[in-house]
Amino acid sequence: FLQQAVCSTNYLHSSSIMARSLCVALALFAGADAFAPLAPRALRSLSALSSQMPDAEKDLGFEAWKPPGQGSGQQDYHGGDGYSATDTADFFEEGGPSETFTGESSTVKQEGDKLAALMQTDSWTIGGREAMSDRPQWFDATAGGMVEATLAYDRSGASSYCSVTNDAMSYEDFYADFSDATTGDWSVEPRTGTLDRRGGTQEFEVTYKGGGASGTAGHLIVQTEEDKFTFELVVP
């Protein structure tokens, strides 16, 4: 009896160990499945779901856009006779007339033409392209202020020379003439022209032709819109 009791006890102990081992194995199997990568299972689920979805074109109510030739076996992915662009730049319409560029825009050319027209005007212009025969409005024929130099003559028909220098930053049109109080017959060359920019010098030839009062016969005035130069004229 004692021996049978011992055998029964060993059998129950063995059964308990086997049961615990089975539980551990089941737990490990379940844990391994829980930590398996999700991607394969998700892909299988998405594949199954997409197979159950209705046709996309029928569901949207219109036919989706496709590049020309798709599905017909005529598409050309590398250029060639069958190639056509699916995108067109905004600059030109595809198939429209071509334009040739010469390197100079029409706007620049038009502005150049306008400037040339202004330079050909009959009025006084920068550069003195057109000289006026009459005195300009800004010319003052009254001698006054500092005298630049004295031109002395010993006889009729003699010539003297004088010069003026431009102090302005820009080109300056000038006009040369004699003061209203000058007596005798005189001439000056040049009468009109343009002084070069600052530092530009212009020389004048002043000729006495006789008839002037002895002593100070008058004054030569060379004037721009910015400056006035006065020269005293002395005859015997």
Side-chain angles (χ1 to χ4, degrees):
F1 176 77
L2 182 59
Q3 185 177 2
Q4 291 179 352
V6 171
C7 290
S8 298
T9 301
N10 291 336
Y11 174 77
L12 292 174
H13 181 68
S14 299
S15 299
S16 176
I17 293 174
M18 291 178 64
R20 286 197 296 270
S21 299
L22 181 60
C23 290
V24 171
L26 290 174
L28 290 175
F29 178 78
D33 184 66
F35 289 97
L38 179 62
R41 291 185 294 168
L43 291 176
R44 289 195 297 270
S45 300
L46 290 175
S47 177
L49 180 62
S50 63
S51 63
Q52 299 175 5
M53 292 180 64
D55 190 342
E57 295 182 1
K58 294 180 180 179
D59 183 63
L60 294 175
F62 61 89
E63 183 178 354
W65 178 88
K66 296 179 182 179
Q70 181 173 346
S72 62
Q74 299 178 357
Q75 58 268 34
D76 185 352
Y77 300 105
H78 304 288
D81 295 338
Y83 175 78
S84 63
T86 58
D87 265 343
T88 303
D90 294 335
F91 307 111
F92 304 103
E93 294 184 2
E94 192 169 332
S98 60
E99 293 188 10
T100 303
F101 294 92
T102 60
E104 181 182 19
S105 67
S106 58
T107 302
V108 174
K109 186 176 184 305
Q110 292 173 358
E111 293 300 325
D113 294 341
K114 291 179 180 178
L115 178 60
L118 290 174
M119 293 296 292
Q120 295 174 359
T121 179
D122 291 335
S123 63
W124 279 66
T125 61
I126 295 177
R129 293 176 59 89
E130 296 291 340
M132 295 181 63
S133 58
D134 297 331
R135 288 179 178 179
Q137 294 180 353
W138 43 260
F139 183 82
D140 180 11
T142 302
M146 183 181 66
V147 174
E148 303 290 334
T150 298
L151 305 180
Y153 298 83
D154 57 0
R155 59 183 175 82
S156 175
S159 294
S160 296
Y161 297 87
C162 62
S163 63
V164 298
T165 300
N166 186 15
D167 293 330
M169 291 293 295
S170 60
Y171 293 96
E172 292 293 329
D173 293 329
F174 68 82
Y175 189 85
D177 203 352
F178 300 93
S179 65
D180 292 340
T182 299
T183 62
D185 189 9
W186 302 83
S187 67
V188 57
E189 290 293 337
R191 184 173 291 272
T192 65
T194 301
L195 299 180
D196 202 352
R197 289 177 293 185
R198 174 171 289 182
T201 301
Q202 176 65 54
E203 186 179 66
F204 297 88
E205 180 182 7
V206 185
T207 303
Y208 172 55
K209 298 179 180 180
S214 180
T216 301
H219 295 83
L220 169 69
I221 299 172
V222 179
Q223 188 172 345
T224 70
E225 290 191 77
E226 300 294 333
D227 294 304
K228 183 177 182 178
F229 308 90
T230 303
F231 299 88
E232 184 182 17
L233 306 174
V234 176
V235 298

